[in-house]
Amino acid sequence: MAAPHDGPWLDESAGRLVRPYTVSDGRTRPTAQMDLLTQVMATGGPVVGYQGPDHTAALGLCAAPTSVAEIAAQLKLPAVVTKVLLSDLVDCGALTLRAPDFYHNPTDRSLLEAVLDGLRRQL
């Protein structure tokens, strides 16, 4: 049985009843440029036009700056579908995007050691 706030979109035993490509109306490319580390935040402005329940859920997660990756995880949607939803909200002025304050070199030894230390602490 679906949770009361999920409506017909989720079913406890079957999972998501609507395929991800349906959520994005079949679109696979966002109109706004973003990556998984991009910070997204609600502007507080009105949402113009019809937005589905996934748009509303995404907007609700953006009260504070939140990464695209975190939003995708919370919505349980693929990253590309999440980017399409978020770009819809950016296009109507409900969200703003900000690149992360810094990017690390993915091969930086100190970064890799910090990740390894964190993983070891989790075990």
PDB file of all heavy atoms in Angstrom, residues 104-113:
ATOM      1  N   HIS A 104      37.933  19.307  -6.395  1.00  0.00           N
ATOM      2  CA  HIS A 104      39.170  18.610  -6.089  1.00  0.00           C
ATOM      3  C   HIS A 104      39.606  17.830  -7.313  1.00  0.00           C
ATOM      4  O   HIS A 104      38.781  17.350  -8.076  1.00  0.00           O
ATOM      5  CB  HIS A 104      38.975  17.624  -4.933  1.00  0.00           C
ATOM      6  CG  HIS A 104      38.828  18.280  -3.609  1.00  0.00           C
ATOM      7  ND1 HIS A 104      39.867  18.886  -2.969  1.00  0.00           N
ATOM      8  CD2 HIS A 104      37.757  18.432  -2.811  1.00  0.00           C
ATOM      9  CE1 HIS A 104      39.446  19.374  -1.820  1.00  0.00           C
ATOM     10  NE2 HIS A 104      38.152  19.117  -1.701  1.00  0.00           N
ATOM     11  N   ASN A 105      40.890  17.703  -7.447  1.00  0.00           N
ATOM     12  CA  ASN A 105      41.434  16.833  -8.476  1.00  0.00           C
ATOM     13  C   ASN A 105      41.103  15.405  -8.060  1.00  0.00           C
ATOM     14  O   ASN A 105      41.503  14.976  -6.979  1.00  0.00           O
ATOM     15  CB  ASN A 105      42.948  17.054  -8.565  1.00  0.00           C
ATOM     16  CG  ASN A 105      43.603  16.149  -9.568  1.00  0.00           C
ATOM     17  OD1 ASN A 105      42.968  15.296 -10.174  1.00  0.00           O
ATOM     18  ND2 ASN A 105      44.898  16.342  -9.744  1.00  0.00           N
ATOM     19  N   PRO A 106      40.393  14.641  -8.887  1.00  0.00           N
ATOM     20  CA  PRO A 106      39.998  13.295  -8.473  1.00  0.00           C
ATOM     21  C   PRO A 106      41.176  12.348  -8.249  1.00  0.00           C
ATOM     22  O   PRO A 106      41.011  11.292  -7.653  1.00  0.00           O
ATOM     23  CB  PRO A 106      39.096  12.807  -9.610  1.00  0.00           C
ATOM     24  CG  PRO A 106      39.378  13.701 -10.750  1.00  0.00           C
ATOM     25  CD  PRO A 106      39.896  14.987 -10.196  1.00  0.00           C
ATOM     26  N   THR A 107      42.352  12.722  -8.698  1.00  0.00           N
ATOM     27  CA  THR A 107      43.528  11.880  -8.464  1.00  0.00           C
ATOM     28  C   THR A 107      44.437  12.465  -7.386  1.00  0.00           C
ATOM     29  O   THR A 107      45.554  11.999  -7.190  1.00  0.00           O
ATOM     30  CB  THR A 107      44.328  11.671  -9.768  1.00  0.00           C
ATOM     31  OG1 THR A 107      44.733  12.946 -10.263  1.00  0.00           O
ATOM     32  CG2 THR A 107      43.484  10.962 -10.815  1.00  0.00           C
ATOM     33  N   ASP A 108      43.955  13.473  -6.673  1.00  0.00           N
ATOM     34  CA  ASP A 108      44.731  14.079  -5.584  1.00  0.00           C
ATOM     35  C   ASP A 108      44.918  13.050  -4.472  1.00  0.00           C
ATOM     36  O   ASP A 108      43.948  12.517  -3.920  1.00  0.00           O
ATOM     37  CB  ASP A 108      43.982  15.311  -5.067  1.00  0.00           C
ATOM     38  CG  ASP A 108      44.661  15.968  -3.885  1.00  0.00           C
ATOM     39  OD1 ASP A 108      45.891  15.825  -3.740  1.00  0.00           O
ATOM     40  OD2 ASP A 108      43.942  16.625  -3.102  1.00  0.00           O
ATOM     41  N   ARG A 109      46.147  12.770  -4.135  1.00  0.00           N
ATOM     42  CA  ARG A 109      46.459  11.716  -3.158  1.00  0.00           C
ATOM     43  C   ARG A 109      45.822  11.993  -1.790  1.00  0.00           C
ATOM     44  O   ARG A 109      45.270  11.088  -1.163  1.00  0.00           O
ATOM     45  CB  ARG A 109      47.973  11.572  -3.012  1.00  0.00           C
ATOM     46  CG  ARG A 109      48.354  10.436  -2.081  1.00  0.00           C
ATOM     47  CD  ARG A 109      49.862  10.246  -2.027  1.00  0.00           C
ATOM     48  NE  ARG A 109      50.226   9.205  -1.123  1.00  0.00           N
ATOM     49  CZ  ARG A 109      50.429   7.943  -1.461  1.00  0.00           C
ATOM     50  NH1 ARG A 109      50.292   7.586  -2.721  1.00  0.00           N
ATOM     51  NH2 ARG A 109      50.751   7.046  -0.556  1.00  0.00           N
ATOM     52  N   SER A 110      45.869  13.228  -1.326  1.00  0.00           N
ATOM     53  CA  SER A 110      45.294  13.525  -0.005  1.00  0.00           C
ATOM     54  C   SER A 110      43.774  13.319   0.002  1.00  0.00           C
ATOM     55  O   SER A 110      43.209  12.845   0.993  1.00  0.00           O
ATOM     56  CB  SER A 110      45.656  14.939   0.448  1.00  0.00           C
ATOM     57  OG  SER A 110      45.111  15.903  -0.429  1.00  0.00           O
ATOM     58  N   LEU A 111      43.113  13.648  -1.094  1.00  0.00           N
ATOM     59  CA  LEU A 111      41.669  13.418  -1.193  1.00  0.00           C
ATOM     60  C   LEU A 111      41.369  11.922  -1.178  1.00  0.00           C
ATOM     61  O   LEU A 111      40.483  11.457  -0.449  1.00  0.00           O
ATOM     62  CB  LEU A 111      41.100  14.064  -2.455  1.00  0.00           C
ATOM     63  CG  LEU A 111      39.625  13.768  -2.754  1.00  0.00           C
ATOM     64  CD1 LEU A 111      38.735  14.321  -1.653  1.00  0.00           C
ATOM     65  CD2 LEU A 111      39.231  14.322  -4.096  1.00  0.00           C
ATOM     66  N   LEU A 112      42.110  11.161  -1.964  1.00  0.00           N
ATOM     67  CA  LEU A 112      41.890   9.714  -2.004  1.00  0.00           C
ATOM     68  C   LEU A 112      42.154   9.062  -0.649  1.00  0.00           C
ATOM     69  O   LEU A 112      41.427   8.154  -0.235  1.00  0.00           O
ATOM     70  CB  LEU A 112      42.768   9.087  -3.088  1.00  0.00           C
ATOM     71  CG  LEU A 112      42.418   9.498  -4.524  1.00  0.00           C
ATOM     72  CD1 LEU A 112      43.452   8.944  -5.498  1.00  0.00           C
ATOM     73  CD2 LEU A 112      41.025   9.063  -4.903  1.00  0.00           C
ATOM     74  N   GLU A 113      43.178   9.534   0.062  1.00  0.00           N
ATOM     75  CA  GLU A 113      43.461   8.997   1.395  1.00  0.00           C
ATOM     76  C   GLU A 113      42.346   9.333   2.380  1.00  0.00           C
ATOM     77  O   GLU A 113      41.971   8.509   3.214  1.00  0.00           O
ATOM     78  CB  GLU A 113      44.804   9.521   1.898  1.00  0.00           C
ATOM     79  CG  GLU A 113      45.986   8.895   1.191  1.00  0.00           C
ATOM     80  CD  GLU A 113      47.323   9.508   1.581  1.00  0.00           C
ATOM     81  OE1 GLU A 113      47.336  10.516   2.332  1.00  0.00           O
ATOM     82  OE2 GLU A 113      48.349   8.976   1.141  1.00  0.00           O
TER      83      GLU A 113
END
